[in-house]
Amino acid sequence: MSFNNTDIAAFKDVWVFCEQRQGKLMPTDFELISEGRKLADELGVDLCGLLLGENVEGLAKELGGYGADKIYVCDHPLLKNYTTDGYTAAICQVIEELKPEVMLFGASNIGRDLGPRCAARLHTGLCADCTHLDVDMPIYKDFLREASTLAPEKIDGMNSAMVLGEKHDVSRDLKMTRPAFGGHLMASIICPRFRPAMATVRPGVMKKNVFDQAKADACQIVKPAFTLTEDDIQTEVVEIVKAAKKLVDLIGADFIVSVGRGISKDVEGGIKLAEELAAELGGVVGGSRATIDSGWLSADHQVGQTGKTVHPKVYVALGISGAIQHKAGMQDSECIIAVNKNDTAPIFEIADYGICGDLFKVTPLLTEAVRAAKAAK
Amino acid sequence: MDFHLSNEQLMLRKMYREFAENEVKPLAEEIDEEERFPMETVEKMAKLGMMGIYFPKEYGGAGGDVLAYAMCVEELAKVCGTTAVIVSAHTSLCCAPIFEHGTEEQKMKYLPDLCSGKKIGAFGLTEPGAGTDASGQQTTAVLEGDHYVLNGSKCFITNGNVADTFVVFAMTDKKAGNHGISAFIVERDFPGFTQGKHEKKMGIRGSSTCDLIFEDCIVPKENLLGKEGKGFKIAMQTLDGGRIGIASQALGLGEGAIDEAIKYTKERVQFGKRLSQFQNTQFQLADMHCRMQAAQYLVYAAACKKQLHEDYSMDAAMAKLFAAEAASDVTRRAVQLFGGYGYTREYPVERMMRDAKITEIYEGTSEVQRMVISSHLGVK
Amino acid sequence: MKIIVSVKQVPDTSGKVAVNPDGTLDRASMQAIINPDDLNAVEAALKLKDETGCKVIVVTMGPPPAAGMLRELMARGADEGILVSAREFGGSDTYATSQILAAAISRIGVEKDDIVMCGRQAIDGDTAQVGPQIAEKLHLPQVTYAAEIQKTGDTITVKRMLEDGYMTIKVKTPCLLTCIKELNAPRYMSVGGIFEAYSKPLQTFDYETLKDDALIDPTTIGLKGSPTNILTSFTPPQKGAGLMLNEGDDKANCEKLAGILAKKHII
């Protein structure tokens, strides 16, 4: 059967690539299954997971609990560890056979290696590092009304796009929204002429559904056919090493105390003050790009466009000026507190509460005040 | 006339600026505070060819030109006066006289190590009794067989404590006055040669400044630079070139102070307005910029004339006189714009003001420059 | 042996960014810089050149002024530059861009012991797609997120970073690697390098040069060859300014803030 990726009507269902590392599903899988469920409902199709590995069938049912109707399991010894070649070969064969209309990957270091390779092989469009996905036009327009500065009449009239000089109805296209230019601009991308429409999705952004055991039990497991030989794989995985140090879980934290360039005059002291405040709040320490680039904090602490996107209950920015790349990663926090020496720092423009002062003086006082306020409760 | 920089020159400026911002600026406050010579910076500059910019590749130089060198000193001085003078003294006062007056053997022996920054150079002319009046040299050199014996001392020698190679002046014939002065290439470990203690200075505090002491110092005969008795001429020619370096240093200091002042006055609010919105600030900065721009034209013109082997002595003197006085004025005005903060070490403008002062003094005071210029004008 | 490094000139998004009234980026107001990750790729190539004496060729797709960037990379030590530039190439998305760059690279020629290098991603789009897609079009194995690269004979050993650790991967040349900033500290241009840069060879590949390549087809390049379209672009709304606590001294302000947080049950 020939694969014609422009025969749009021949493609249906929403698929999610479910990444596993050493036999463990990634948290992003649940976020993507949950988001994929929403899209599949908007399209009126099934949501399917695509799980690759060796002896991974046992992981499949759990994905059903977050909304997958069906899990395609590609089990093969050569898929035990991730390789670009092996995974691309298997996924492309299965896609060509089963023709999903939407394919989502987590924008992890693996998803962003695999997604573009698959899209290039299948000759289709891929939108990287998406932060918002829509199909349904009224829902998409509501999103634009809230998240953009576009004029209301422009949003109301947005039903089609010019594609190769012709008006194209976008109502059934996946609208893939992502930040560009370091977060200065947002763009909604469509893939109107080819299928599947592919996206990698930023971890930590999509909301996870509540696990439902009944759905997990009902989830179907299907093993599609594909062929793979050692000759297909040109790279050799020599070893996989987990970081020895426990990495900071910024994405899961309710309280984040981040430091910026403002700690430069006493880096260790500044970090210690942040740690004390974070400990009092029950949170973790993060940092701006400057602190990571200067080697003051390790990369897992980085918040921002090139780091992690976080939305904790409280985000405290100590000595962070608020460059747009940083704001892109934290502006959706529920409550932002900024401490900065410079009263014109852009961080104050988005802060719920601001204190203009020396972080080395203010932070210990704030820690003490929080402790006292908690004790008084 | 063409006032446009070439593609190469624009690229050089960009590279110097990136280097200065990333590698030099972060150390400027510390080396001033601690009076520490930034050896790590010299090693980095050496890798990039900044210790031998305008010397040919066959001698280990970067194959650039004099303007490329002036721009280097300028960009370094914008963020750190100390680092700028290290390059200037090394290049103009040690590499240049060896390149211009040395024999082929001397050039092959000394220039590759100097130009590649493996060795640092210095220049020994000034003595306690022979400052502006360089002809009053008391250091003597006596030929004894295959070597000269040097006795005497030098003072205020830039790079003195860190240099490996020195161009030193001494009297070989006391009766002959200026015509009795000769130049020598002296290595740090020649017997009888020692360096005195670090001078504490008002500015350029990371730069090494010390006495050189010669006590029966043995200098091989083949280390005579140029002919016997031609030392005064070599010294004066060397200082002409050096003035381009110091003028560039002054230029950079003034420009750096303006950069800081613009940044600060756009942020600082008084009486409900940013300082930059006050006409006094605007006019001050306009005047400051005009002075430094004029200085830049003088400095670049002198550098281009030297490159073309034209007579640039007066041009160098004018460039140094004007740039140095402009830098002192502009840095002082920058401190004033900063107000109380400008007087503190939290901001760099007070350091720039201290650094700028020396440019009116060393390698010929402003008064000496006026003597040079007026004598070129034939005013006697 | 040679190394072909694909690089991109990008607007510097780290400073102030101006947006036109129609929601597009005001590129004219921004400085053009070499994409930071690409500098790491060039440095990795130059390090291998230092070790092996191999040739380093930098290639970019962009408007004619991007040639200035190639000269700067030659001033850092690259031997040759290729500017891929044509009106027909304009409007390309990552798929079409990869298609064109792959054609340019195969015109240069990828031989048995060659390596193609890219930066992880460009700061204007942050897609990280062009590297893997070039590899696919050239049928080369790829290793992305390279934090260490070692070459022994025809085998390259790469430390490939993951979010929670790393993989060590072996791959044979020819291959494509994408580089991250942890890989190295890019060198500066050197004075001598700058004076040599303008005498090094720089070629322009236009549509005519590449049109006979199988990858170059009106349906696979430029706007028409791009599978993706931009439906709309927009600026996010600025969150309104909050409450500045500046009436008391630091201590009073902190206590006031803690009081508010407690009252709102945030702490």
Side-chain angles (χ1 to χ4, degrees):
Chain A
M1 192 162 51
S2 74
F3 177 68
N4 176 3
N5 64 357
T6 60
D7 179 11
I8 305 292
F11 289 75
K12 65 178 220 155
D13 293 352
V14 172
W15 282 22
V16 170
F17 169 69
C18 299
E19 184 185 335
Q20 55 83 20
R21 294 185 188 175
Q22 287 89 54
K24 281 207 181 74
L25 291 170
M26 301 286 285
T28 323
D29 297 337
F30 308 122
E31 298 166 14
L32 260 62
I33 289 285
S34 305
E35 179 69 13
R37 179 71 266 161
K38 185 196 90 180
L39 298 174
D41 289 344
E42 290 177 21
L43 284 164
V45 297
D46 279 352
L47 171 67
C48 310
L50 178 58
L51 179 61
L52 280 68
E54 185 188 24
N55 301 323
V56 289
E57 199 180 322
L59 303 175
K61 288 272 180 190
E62 191 183 358
L63 293 161
Y66 292 91
D69 298 305
K70 197 187 285 180
I71 303 294
Y72 292 108
V73 178
C74 297
D75 221 301
H76 197 289
L78 290 174
L79 297 174
K80 179 171 190 283
N81 292 322
Y82 173 74
T83 61
T84 312
D85 296 336
Y87 275 51
T88 304
I91 290 173
C92 289
Q93 287 174 51
V94 176
I95 286 179
E96 289 185 1
E97 182 63 32
L98 297 168
K99 300 192 178 64
E101 62 178 309
V102 169
M103 176 85 216
L104 307 180
F105 297 85
S108 67
N109 288 12
I110 282 176
R112 297 185 75 174
D113 181 88
L114 177 61
R117 189 100 195 191
C118 291
R121 187 163 301 176
L122 296 166
H123 188 163
T124 189
L126 168 65
C127 184
D129 214 19
C130 297
T131 53
H132 206 270
L133 298 171
D134 295 276
V135 171
D136 185 77
M137 281 311 283
I139 297 176
Y140 175 62
K141 287 181 181 179
D142 281 345
F143 159 69
L144 287 182
R145 282 183 195 104
E146 195 185 317
S148 83
T149 49
L150 292 172
E153 43 302 355
K154 193 167 177 196
I155 296 173
D156 293 341
M158 194 182 292
N159 298 310
S160 60
M162 290 304 283
V163 175
L164 297 186
E166 283 174 33
K167 217 168 174 185
H168 169 89
D169 176 4
V170 298
S171 57
R172 228 190 128 78
D173 283 304
L174 179 64
K175 271 73 73 179
M176 302 174 270
T177 303
R178 66 182 305 267
F181 297 102
H184 295 276
L185 272 183
M186 301 292 289
S188 292
I189 309 287
I190 51 172
C191 177
R193 297 183 292 133
F194 301 96
R195 289 290 177 268
M198 294 178 44
T200 61
V201 181
R202 182 160 255 231
V205 173
M206 301 302 175
K207 292 256 180 313
K208 194 166 81 171
N209 290 339
V210 177
F211 178 79
D212 181 339
Q213 187 60 49
K215 281 185 184 165
D217 295 339
C219 180
Q220 229 186 312
I221 291 171
V222 181
K223 292 192 157 191
F226 65 96
T227 60
L228 196 60
T229 68
E230 278 185 21
D231 294 341
D232 293 327
I233 299 172
Q234 299 183 68
T235 54
E236 178 198 345
V237 178
V238 181
E239 57 170 348
I240 300 172
V241 180
K242 284 259 184 190
K245 205 173 129 241
K246 197 183 170 308
L247 298 175
V248 173
D249 181 16
L250 284 176
I251 287 177
D254 281 337
F255 295 88
I256 297 175
V257 180
S258 277
V259 290
R261 209 187 290 277
I263 63 165
S264 63
K265 76 178 175 193
D266 176 8
V267 172
E268 277 175 34
I271 292 171
K272 186 157 175 282
L273 291 175
E275 282 168 351
E276 284 164 4
L277 177 56
E280 189 56 47
L281 291 167
V284 298
V285 170
S288 69
R289 194 169 83 180
T291 62
I292 278 74
D293 287 352
S294 307
W296 302 340
L297 288 169
S298 56
D300 51 312
H301 292 83
Q302 188 179 342
V303 174
Q305 173 66 16
T306 48
K308 296 195 178 79
T309 302
V310 296
H311 26 72
K313 284 186 184 150
V314 176
Y315 187 90
V316 186
L318 300 174
I320 293 176
S321 65
I324 190 118
Q325 303 94 315
H326 188 76
K327 291 200 276 190
M330 47 64 79
Q331 59 196 356
D332 292 334
S333 303
E334 283 172 39
C335 171
I336 297 170
I337 298 169
V339 178
N340 203 295
K341 234 170 34 173
N342 178 358
D343 64 357
T344 60
I347 191 80
F348 287 126
E349 291 163 14
I350 59 159
D352 297 280
Y353 304 102
I355 295 179
C356 180
D358 179 356
L359 73 93
F360 289 96
K361 293 191 189 118
V362 174
T363 312
L365 292 168
L366 187 56
T367 307
E368 186 46 49
V370 168
R371 186 175 300 138
K374 282 165 90 175
K377 267 191 147 179
Chain B
M1 250 190 138
D2 185 0
F3 285 92
H4 290 94
L5 294 177
S6 68
N7 284 329
E8 283 92 344
Q9 286 157 346
L10 289 169
M11 208 188 272
L12 282 165
R13 164 153 295 162
K14 185 171 179 182
M15 168 254 182
Y16 295 144
R17 202 166 278 178
E18 274 176 19
F19 180 82
E21 281 293 319
N22 297 333
E23 310 291 337
V24 182
K25 193 178 186 180
L27 286 178
E29 185 184 339
E30 176 192 324
I31 62 173
D32 176 68
E33 197 69 35
E34 297 174 4
E35 301 194 36
R36 179 172 76 75
F37 184 89
M39 193 58 90
E40 67 271 45
T41 307
V42 173
E43 284 163 12
K44 289 177 195 163
M45 292 193 293
K47 276 193 197 156
L48 302 179
M50 289 161 73
M51 300 303 276
I53 292 171
Y54 68 86
F55 304 104
K57 294 205 164 151
E58 58 262 41
Y59 300 119
D65 56 29
V66 182
L67 182 54
Y69 157 68
M71 288 168 66
C72 174
V73 177
E74 176 190 2
E75 291 298 331
L76 292 172
K78 278 189 188 173
V79 300
C80 178
T82 286
T83 308
V85 75
I86 293 167
V87 172
S88 177
H90 167 88
T91 306
S92 283
L93 301 187
C94 184
C95 300
I98 295 175
F99 175 66
E100 286 161 19
H101 304 281
T103 62
E104 195 54 32
E105 290 73 29
Q106 287 170 336
K107 288 198 241 186
M108 286 312 293
K109 180 166 180 196
Y110 289 104
L111 285 177
D113 281 352
L114 286 167
C115 290
S116 64
K118 263 189 220 151
K119 291 189 171 163
I120 296 174
F123 175 81
L125 175 68
T126 303
E127 296 186 4
T132 292
D133 177 14
S135 60
Q137 295 281 312
Q138 296 296 315
T139 303
T140 58
V142 178
L143 183 62
E144 289 182 7
D146 62 353
H147 61 266
Y148 286 90
V149 178
L150 269 63
N151 275 291
S153 67
K154 301 283 171 186
C155 64
F156 305 145
I157 306 307
T158 303
N159 291 350
N161 267 321
V162 293
D164 308 277
T165 309
F166 299 75
V167 171
V168 173
F169 298 85
M171 286 298 226
T172 41
D173 182 357
K174 278 215 155 189
K175 297 186 291 287
N178 282 351
H179 298 292
I181 300 174
S182 300
F184 300 89
I185 304 170
V186 179
E187 294 178 26
R188 182 175 197 85
D189 50 8
F190 281 178
F193 176 32
T194 51
Q195 295 81 36
K197 73 168 175 46
H198 178 75
E199 291 289 352
K200 295 204 164 230
K201 303 185 294 294
M202 171 184 175
I204 54 162
R205 285 155 51 104
S207 150
S208 154
T209 308
C210 69
D211 292 349
L212 307 181
I213 301 136
F214 303 95
E215 291 169 304
D216 294 328
C217 171
I218 309 288
V219 177
K221 199 174 148 187
E222 60 269 24
N223 275 32
L224 174 71
L225 182 65
K227 293 205 171 81
E228 250 194 41
K230 294 288 179 199
F232 189 75
K233 206 174 163 208
I234 293 173
M236 292 303 114
Q237 282 180 5
T238 301
L239 287 173
D240 282 342
R243 282 165 195 157
I244 294 175
I246 301 308
S248 306
Q249 182 197 20
L251 172 61
L253 283 163
E255 291 171 329
I258 293 173
D259 290 346
E260 294 292 337
I262 290 175
K263 197 167 71 186
Y264 182 81
T265 56
K266 279 176 159 176
E267 282 171 5
R268 172 78 168 167
V269 174
Q270 290 284 279
F271 301 105
K273 284 203 280 188
R274 294 175 197 277
L275 288 189
S276 60
Q277 292 173 297
F278 290 92
Q279 199 176 49
N280 175 58
T281 310
Q282 296 162 357
F283 283 13
Q284 286 282 345
L285 283 164
D287 285 347
M288 289 156 74
H289 179 68
C290 277
R291 294 207 66 176
M292 295 326 299
Q293 186 63 55
Q296 193 186 60
Y297 287 140
L298 282 170
V299 174
Y300 286 12
C304 292
K305 277 195 164 182
K306 178 169 165 59
Q307 183 64 34
L308 296 170
H309 305 290
E310 292 174 22
D311 180 5
Y312 69 97
S313 170
M314 180 164 79
D315 301 84
M318 291 192 299
K320 179 177 182 282
L321 170 65
F322 190 85
E325 294 194 341
S328 276
D329 174 48
V330 163
T331 52
R332 185 185 52 77
R333 291 209 224 180
V335 171
Q336 191 69 20
L337 285 172
F338 274 69
Y341 285 113
Y343 197 68
T344 69
R345 295 202 174 175
E346 198 173 329
Y347 289 93
V349 283
E350 65 82 30
R351 186 185 74 235
M352 293 169 164
M353 179 176 150
R354 286 185 286 111
D355 287 355
K357 184 65 203 171
I358 189 62
T359 65
E360 294 181 275
I361 299 172
Y362 61 12
E363 299 191 34
T365 59
S366 288
E367 292 69 26
V368 165
Q369 310 311 326
R370 290 189 167 90
M371 284 162 58
V372 172
I373 296 161
S374 57
S375 86
H376 275 278
L377 293 175
V379 184
K380 287 180 186 168
Chain C
M1 175 189 172
K2 66 179 179 297
I3 303 173
I4 300 168
V5 192
S6 173
V7 295
K8 185 180 188 186
Q9 195 170 39
V10 292
D12 185 358
T13 55
S14 67
K16 275 230 158 72
V17 167
V19 177
N20 293 320
D22 65 352
T24 58
L25 200 74
D26 178 7
R27 279 174 187 261
S29 72
M30 296 165 73
Q31 218 196 330
I33 59 166
I34 305 172
N35 181 50
D37 286 348
D38 298 353
L39 277 180
N40 296 105
V42 171
E43 178 63 27
L46 293 174
K47 280 220 167 90
L48 284 169
K49 179 186 169 179
D50 293 342
E51 284 168 29
T52 64
C54 68
K55 189 195 265 187
V56 174
I57 302 174
V58 283
V59 50
T60 192
M61 183 169 112
M69 169 189 66
L70 296 178
R71 293 288 180 200
E72 286 184 18
L73 295 172
M74 293 183 202
R76 283 178 156 88
D79 300 288
E80 284 179 35
I82 308 284
L83 173 67
V84 182
S85 192
R87 217 162 20 115
E88 289 86 345
F89 302 154
S92 293
D93 71 355
T94 60
Y95 180 92
T97 300
S98 313
Q99 195 90 6
I100 299 161
L101 281 170
I105 290 167
S106 59
R107 178 160 180 102
I108 299 165
V110 181
E111 287 161 82
K112 175 73 192 76
D113 49 1
D114 293 350
I115 305 172
V116 181
M117 289 193 181
C118 303
R120 170 193 58 154
Q121 66 195 51
I123 57 168
D124 53 354
D126 284 321
T127 73
Q129 288 175 185
V130 171
Q133 298 198 326
I134 291 175
E136 171 65 22
K137 294 297 168 189
L138 293 173
H139 307 290
L140 294 176
Q142 77 193 39
V143 184
T144 53
Y145 297 87
E148 277 176 30
I149 296 170
Q150 264 186 327
K151 184 174 184 294
T152 323
D154 63 351
T155 302
I156 314 272
T157 308
V158 182
K159 179 177 177 184
R160 181 207 193 274
M161 295 314 288
L162 295 169
E163 291 83 350
D164 54 354
Y166 64 91
M167 292 166 123
T168 305
I169 295 178
K170 278 192 174 161
V171 62
K172 289 205 184 308
T173 61
C175 59
L176 182 143
L177 310 175
T178 78
C179 304
I180 58 174
K181 69 169 189 279
E182 286 77 6
L183 178 60
N184 52 43
R187 67 191 66 187
Y188 293 93
M189 294 181 266
S190 72
V191 180
I194 289 170
F195 280 96
E196 283 169 6
Y198 280 85
S199 54
K200 290 179 177 176
L202 189 147
Q203 289 182 69
T204 301
F205 287 1
D206 58 9
Y207 181 73
E208 279 299 308
T209 322
L210 298 178
K211 71 177 195 311
D212 295 333
D213 192 294
L215 292 168
I216 302 295
D217 180 290
T219 64
T220 60
I221 61 161
L223 201 55
K224 282 186 183 168
S226 297
T228 59
N229 293 64
I230 297 174
L231 176 62
T232 183
S233 67
F234 57 87
T235 45
Q238 282 280 337
K239 193 173 163 181
L243 179 66
M244 285 301 285
L245 300 158
N246 51 10
E247 280 163 20
D249 60 10
D250 286 345
K251 186 160 186 282
N253 292 335
C254 289
E255 282 166 359
K256 189 170 172 197
L257 174 56
I260 296 170
L261 296 178
K263 212 170 144 194
K264 291 191 161 186
H265 305 289
I266 295 171
I267 55 173

